Amino acid sequence: MNDIAHPSEYLGYWGEKYKQDLLTDILPFWLKYGLDKENGGYFTCLDRDGSLLDTNKSVWFQGRFAFILAYAYNHLEKRAEWLNACKSGIDFIEKHCFDTDGRMFYEVTKIGTPVRKRRYVFSETFAAIAMAQYSIASGDKSYAEKAVKLFNQILYYKNTPGALEPKFREGFVAKGHSFCMILIDTAARIREAVNDPVLTCQIDESIAELQRDFMKPEFKAILETVGPDGEFIDSIPGRTINPGHSIETAWFILEEAKHRNWDPKLKQMGLTILDWSWKWGWDEKYGGITYFRDCKNRPQQEYWHDMKFWWPQCEAIIATLYAYEATGDPKYLKMHRQINEYTYARFPDKEYGEWFGYFHYDGTLSQPAKGNMYKGPFHIPRMLLKCHLLCKEILPGL
């Protein structure tokens, strides 16, 4: 049902569709094939039919899927199966995923033996949001305390020079959009469990940094990499725009604006980022959100720059719906329909369930696996949950 001339019917249909897809397709797929019932935690390297491609485990996804399960429990239905599966992931994290220095690994074997540890602290952010949501679901406040403690540790690494190995050496001094934006959502999710002042303080700092250093009106874009003080670096990484990533940032900011009774400055900032990023990302010829662009329209370096991955489409579906809720402007509902139609025409696997992840620029399938160390039960179920809830919120006002 894609008639946006009747918003209440459109949102009523899709609000229910998102919920049913989550309950009858996405979560059942991962609960059936992704749970490691012997060792705890989750597998994500799954072939199209759910069979295992690799038994090593992504530490990101131990936190990510645990978060999704607790978030669904807290906002949709209180199913014991979800809560138990969530605890399995959190227990695996606490038992196997922390190194002796307090940092977390990136990849471990099925029994938790370390495989890789990266210089990023994203494993920590996902573990923190999982613990916070589990605290709400279980009523065990100790997990909220653990989440705040982990968040403070993340801030230590962020704010202490030399605490994390730099991505680049002396010849390229820079900072990235990723770390700045992820702290907004991490803090917001923990804040649902415990209102520690460090959380909103960091949200304010990250938003100010985004606006000051990463938003570039001269290019009408958020850049992925800038100098330490926001300087434009005229190089391949310095010119890179990741439209899906920027669109994700847009809805993080719109959500925070909503939390603050639709703060007008934050709302405008979120809408501006969405408008800029949609223009850079939407493929006018083939549809979908492309992966990388160059802010001077020069050639991109990465071979996948024009591919259509699952997660930017999911972020655009959420962001356009948030923008419609924020403004009531039909243009955002039209954008939502565009990205929704594109995504649903290609990504869901009607034969084996769940979604494909990787398409070429022209919409032809690149590979059919349902998961790996990067794709798993996070962006798709988060989109379905968020959009179901957004449709429910918007409908009474129409």
Side-chain angles (χ1 to χ4, degrees):
M1 199 291 193
N2 281 310
D3 184 5
I4 58 172
H6 302 283
S8 59
E9 294 178 15
Y10 176 83
L11 294 172
Y13 171 82
W14 280 105
E16 186 60 24
K17 170 72 170 165
Y18 294 135
K19 177 181 176 181
Q20 291 307 313
D21 285 354
L22 182 73
L23 295 179
T24 65
D25 180 13
I26 303 301
L27 287 183
F29 183 95
W30 288 101
L31 289 167
K32 180 177 181 180
Y33 299 114
L35 290 188
D36 182 349
K37 296 177 181 178
E38 181 179 354
N39 304 292
Y42 321 116
F43 299 117
T44 56
C45 297
L46 304 182
D47 205 347
R48 182 183 180 188
D49 61 359
S51 58
L52 274 172
L53 294 168
D54 194 323
T55 60
N56 280 2
K57 292 171 179 172
S58 162
V59 174
W60 281 19
F61 274 103
Q62 306 311 300
R64 281 177 157 187
F65 192 29
F67 162 78
I68 288 295
L69 291 162
Y71 199 80
Y73 185 93
N74 292 332
H75 293 86
L76 200 59
E77 295 179 15
K78 298 196 180 302
R79 294 193 184 185
E81 179 188 17
W82 297 347
L83 193 60
N84 292 336
C86 170
K87 187 60 162 51
S88 173
I90 289 174
D91 287 347
F92 189 87
I93 287 169
E94 293 196 291
K95 188 174 182 181
H96 300 294
C97 296
F98 283 92
D99 201 352
T100 54
D101 62 359
R103 288 274 320 283
M104 294 184 71
F105 298 112
Y106 170 75
E107 180 181 350
V108 297
T109 67
K110 66 179 181 179
I111 62 172
T113 306
V115 174
R116 276 199 290 169
K117 181 178 177 181
R118 299 175 71 184
R119 62 180 187 81
Y120 307 109
V121 287
F122 294 144
S123 293
E124 288 84 345
T125 64
F126 300 128
I129 63 174
M131 290 175 181
Q133 289 296 313
Y134 179 75
S135 174
I136 298 169
S138 66
D140 187 340
K141 294 182 180 179
S142 70
Y143 284 92
E145 294 168 3
K146 290 177 183 181
V148 173
K149 182 180 179 181
L150 195 49
F151 190 77
N152 280 316
Q153 183 174 314
I154 293 164
L155 295 186
Y156 165 78
Y157 285 108
K158 172 184 179 291
N159 297 324
T160 305
L164 288 176
E165 181 183 350
K167 183 174 184 177
F168 303 104
R169 306 303 299 183
E170 295 81 4
F172 190 83
V173 182
K175 63 180 181 179
H177 169 212
S178 299
F179 201 7
C180 181
M181 60 84 77
I182 196 65
L183 292 177
I184 298 173
D185 186 61
T186 304
R189 298 289 72 79
I190 299 172
R191 189 175 57 191
E192 293 179 5
V194 55
N195 192 20
D196 190 296
V198 71
L199 302 168
T200 298
C201 180
Q202 182 54 51
I203 290 172
D204 288 341
E205 288 184 17
S206 287
I207 289 173
E209 185 180 8
L210 283 168
Q211 192 163 36
R212 181 185 67 242
D213 296 343
F214 291 95
M215 288 181 73
K216 301 298 181 185
E218 63 269 35
F219 300 119
K220 294 188 175 180
I222 281 188
L223 298 182
E224 285 298 296
T225 305
V226 297
D229 297 311
E231 306 95 324
F232 172 61
I233 304 169
D234 198 351
S235 64
I236 290 174
R239 292 192 301 266
T240 295
I241 300 166
N242 183 329
H245 204 206
S246 301
I247 288 169
E248 185 176 13
T249 295
W251 77 254
F252 287 175
I253 293 170
L254 287 172
E255 186 173 70
E256 187 62 20
K258 181 170 141 184
H259 178 75
R260 303 183 189 192
N261 297 312
W262 290 114
D263 177 281
K265 290 183 180 179
L266 288 183
K267 182 169 81 169
Q268 188 54 55
M269 180 182 176
L271 294 171
T272 297
I273 294 171
L274 174 58
D275 290 344
W276 286 355
S277 306
W278 180 274
K279 191 169 182 179
W280 279 107
W282 180 257
D283 184 337
E284 292 289 348
K285 183 174 182 180
Y286 294 103
I289 301 295
T290 198
Y291 208 88
F292 286 127
R293 294 291 305 276
D294 184 290
C295 71
K296 290 189 173 182
N297 283 309
R298 302 183 73 180
Q300 253 294 318
Q301 178 170 260
E302 281 73 13
Y303 63 84
W304 62 92
H305 68 95
D306 61 355
M307 287 182 69
K308 311 294 168 56
F309 285 26
W310 79 104
W311 69 265
Q313 322 312 316
C314 288
E315 301 313 310
I317 292 171
I318 298 172
T320 50
L321 204 53
Y322 253 120
Y324 180 68
E325 181 182 36
T327 65
D329 188 335
K331 91 167 186 177
Y332 292 114
L333 205 58
K334 181 181 177 182
M335 289 161 64
H336 180 267
R337 181 181 65 182
Q338 279 181 262
I339 187 63
N340 217 34
E341 283 184 341
Y342 175 85
T343 303
Y344 266 87
R346 292 162 181 80
F347 285 83
D349 183 350
K350 296 177 182 177
E351 184 175 355
Y352 288 100
E354 229 271 339
W355 287 19
F356 301 116
Y358 302 88
F359 285 82
H360 295 295
Y361 70 94
D362 60 356
T364 55
L365 186 64
S366 172
Q367 60 103 323
K370 295 298 165 52
N372 48 44
M373 289 291 161
Y374 308 101
K375 182 184 181 294
F378 182 65
H379 288 281
I380 298 166
R382 183 174 70 169
M383 180 276 288
L384 297 172
L385 266 166
K386 285 282 185 186
C387 290
H388 165 68
L389 296 171
L390 283 170
C391 287
K392 282 180 62 178
E393 290 172 6
I394 297 168
L395 277 168
L398 291 176

